[in-house]
Amino acid sequence: METPPGDPDPGDPDPGDPDPGDPDPDGADLDGADLDGADLDGADLDGADPAGTDPADTDLIATALAWYAAHAERTLTAIVEPGLDQDDRRRPTAAQPPGHATEVAATTPFPRPEDAFAWGDLELENVVTLVNRYRDTPDPRLTAHLSTLVRLLFPYVLRSGRAAETEVLGRAALGAARRLGDAAAEAYALGDLAGLHFLTGRQNEALGLNDQALAIWWRLDAVSWIRRCLNNRGLLLEGLGRYAESGVALRQSLAHSRQLNDPYGEAVTHSHLGNLYEHTDPRAAIEQHRRSLAIGDEIGAVIVQHSAHCNIGYAHLTLGEPAAAVPHFEESLRILGGHGDWHGESQTRLGLVRALRLLGRTEDTRTEDTRVEATHTTRAHTECTELLRRADARADRYMGGLARHQLGLLLREQGREREAYDAWRAALDALDGTDEKVVVQELGELLSQRDAR
């Protein structure tokens, strides 16, 4: 949850006792687990009580989970840049199976982040099948493998933007950690679920989950995780309009970053401080984002660089400077490339749509300028359609709602009012249950204007 750019916002169920969902995924390739010819249906992945699983089947399932956990660590090292974030996530918790490091050593690293994402996309459904089937297993060995697998795979799942699968895995990991009595694993799962709730627009729930994780990390005296949770707390409080509390948490996080000599963490905090300052002084916000960018450039942190440009673009939008915003959004997408960060990508694409739409509305009667405006409008529509396609492919209703809001504005400016109304109605439905207040209020006003005619 630490590097989200832009201005996302979130519902209300009790975060303390989650109830996992129940998707229906199919299988994937298990050859790498030396399971050629193995009958996973015979291992009863889909139906009977796991408590009655045959010991031979239990061994097979443990082997599959261990193999996936090893490859999950390889995805982690491919997509999370070297440093404290990667080191902390890889550090074994109390319940991690002792043979995990050997399993990892027997696997081949992914040469590029794109390869890790491709592997994850291919295997995710099978992982969810295994985890969903054995999330309540009484077998402590399977539970430990499951907990380790999800902890190591979660950065990939969260960055890929697959919300439904992310929730199933996160809640299964939380239940497993609590059954194992593994405090660190529980804190990971709580923090990971907080990240999911943030990305799906449920900031109040995210704050409750993050604060539960923070309390555990305080007990464990894990300073780098305390820093992360304080950073996330500041981000969430800012999104909820609690600006003074946000500033306190972010400055505490910044102090911990300097204590740890953690430039990456410092860069992320400057990013969040920029988002906070944007409410009162967008120029000061840009300065914070430029400090974040300078650190990102110095340490070669792609996600930090990408986020900084995205955030500078949003600050220019706040200043009413869409022409200055566009190149920053474009540079943000260029930097991100194939590194994979759906939240960052989607916020950047949304900002680009907003900037292009505003440029297309610029009033000028000269023929050449009018042609340029038409180009901006056409491109805004193309970019918005692409953002919607990507959001719908991930079943990301929150981003889909924000994109449909922009699509309706574009359609109205083209005189297509009925289509605009349909887009706004769909957007309002998609944002129901989130903490997104500004867009929901505007949608209500747009729809009421239409209804009043």
Side-chain angles (χ1 to χ4, degrees):
M1 187 166 64
E2 278 221 315
T3 57
D7 310 325
D9 275 78
D12 210 84
D14 177 12
D17 186 22
D19 178 25
D22 192 17
D24 182 28
D26 317 295
D29 179 14
L30 287 168
D31 289 350
D34 276 340
L35 296 175
D36 279 347
D39 181 5
L40 283 176
D41 290 330
D44 200 14
L45 288 175
D46 299 306
D49 182 355
T53 303
D54 182 272
D57 289 342
T58 299
D59 288 342
L60 177 61
I61 298 305
T63 299
L65 288 168
W67 183 81
Y68 276 119
H71 283 75
E73 181 159 334
R74 291 300 194 188
T75 69
L76 173 68
T77 55
I79 69 176
V80 177
E81 290 151 331
L84 273 177
D85 277 18
Q86 185 188 118
D87 294 344
D88 285 350
R89 180 70 61 159
R90 295 177 67 193
R91 186 170 293 114
T93 67
Q96 178 170 299
H100 172 73
T102 302
E103 293 279 352
V104 175
T107 65
T108 304
F110 295 106
R112 305 174 306 161
E114 295 93 326
D115 300 311
F117 276 101
W119 179 89
D121 293 345
L122 178 67
E123 300 286 1
L124 182 59
E125 288 188 348
N126 203 39
V127 170
V128 174
T129 298
L130 282 167
V131 170
N132 202 36
R133 175 71 185 97
Y134 289 93
R135 65 179 184 256
D136 297 319
T137 178
D139 187 313
R141 181 171 60 134
L142 296 185
T143 303
H145 281 300
L146 186 153
S147 175
T148 302
L149 164 58
V150 177
R151 168 171 56 86
L152 295 170
L153 190 64
F154 216 86
Y156 151 74
V157 183
L158 202 61
R159 286 195 186 184
S160 69
R162 304 278 287 273
E165 293 92 336
T166 303
E167 186 139 17
V168 171
L169 294 176
R171 294 189 183 281
L174 181 57
R178 286 173 170 169
R179 290 197 306 279
L180 292 165
D182 188 336
E186 181 179 356
Y188 277 111
L190 287 165
D192 289 342
L193 281 169
L196 168 67
H197 282 68
F198 167 75
L199 298 184
T200 52
R202 296 172 287 170
Q203 292 195 28
N204 274 303
E205 294 174 54
L207 181 62
L209 289 160
N210 181 76
D211 284 354
Q212 289 181 61
L214 177 59
I216 295 174
W217 292 124
W218 274 115
R219 285 205 314 270
L220 298 176
D221 195 27
V223 178
S224 60
W225 278 105
I226 292 168
R227 181 205 67 74
R228 272 185 210 94
C229 284
L230 286 169
N231 217 15
N232 292 336
R233 178 173 169 77
L235 172 71
L236 292 164
L237 289 167
E238 179 265 325
L240 291 168
R242 295 161 61 178
Y243 301 142
E245 295 170 85
S246 171
V248 170
L250 290 174
R251 290 181 181 89
Q252 290 174 335
S253 178
L254 193 60
H256 284 301
S257 290
R258 290 168 177 165
Q259 173 192 341
L260 292 163
N261 190 27
D262 177 13
Y264 184 94
E266 185 174 347
V268 174
T269 305
H270 282 302
S271 175
H272 293 346
L273 282 168
N275 291 338
L276 177 62
Y277 294 169
E278 190 179 322
H279 296 282
T280 55
D281 188 348
R283 298 288 179 201
I286 290 174
E287 179 57 30
Q288 289 294 318
H289 295 314
R290 291 199 180 281
R291 292 175 72 175
S292 179
L293 178 59
I295 296 172
D297 288 342
E298 184 177 346
I299 64 177
V302 170
I303 300 299
V304 168
Q305 296 166 317
H306 146 73
S307 298
H309 278 289
C310 176
N311 285 323
I312 292 170
Y314 272 100
H316 280 298
L317 284 180
T318 300
L319 288 164
E321 300 170 350
V326 167
H328 286 287
F329 290 130
E330 291 173 334
E331 181 66 2
S332 177
L333 290 172
R334 185 196 67 78
I335 290 170
L336 183 61
H339 283 79
D341 177 12
W342 168 241
H343 176 70
E345 176 192 343
S346 61
Q347 285 293 323
T348 305
R349 289 183 181 277
L350 182 67
L352 181 59
V353 170
R354 286 179 55 189
L356 291 169
R357 182 180 65 79
L358 291 170
L359 286 173
R361 290 174 56 196
T362 303
E363 293 182 0
D364 197 310
T365 58
R366 289 175 296 178
T367 305
E368 185 176 339
D369 287 342
T370 302
R371 191 159 51 243
V372 171
E373 290 160 21
T375 301
H376 287 139
T377 300
T378 300
R379 188 177 168 207
H381 202 287
T382 300
E383 293 286 352
C384 193
T385 301
E386 178 61 15
L387 173 58
L388 264 174
R389 184 189 70 79
R390 294 178 183 229
D392 290 347
R394 293 167 170 83
D396 185 345
R397 287 176 53 80
Y398 178 59
M399 181 50 61
L402 297 178
R404 284 180 171 85
H405 167 234
Q406 292 296 315
L407 178 62
L409 295 173
L410 285 163
L411 291 168
R412 181 182 64 177
E413 288 160 12
Q414 295 168 12
R416 298 159 63 181
E417 293 203 5
R418 181 177 295 278
E419 293 171 79
Y421 181 85
D422 291 342
W424 291 331
R425 174 62 61 193
L428 192 60
D429 289 345
L431 295 174
D432 183 44
T434 73
D435 290 334
E436 178 57 64
K437 293 182 174 62
V438 175
V439 174
V440 167
Q441 180 178 344
E442 183 178 339
L443 286 167
E445 293 168 355
L446 290 165
L447 290 168
S448 64
Q449 290 170 11
R450 166 79 182 194
D451 291 340
R453 293 178 185 177

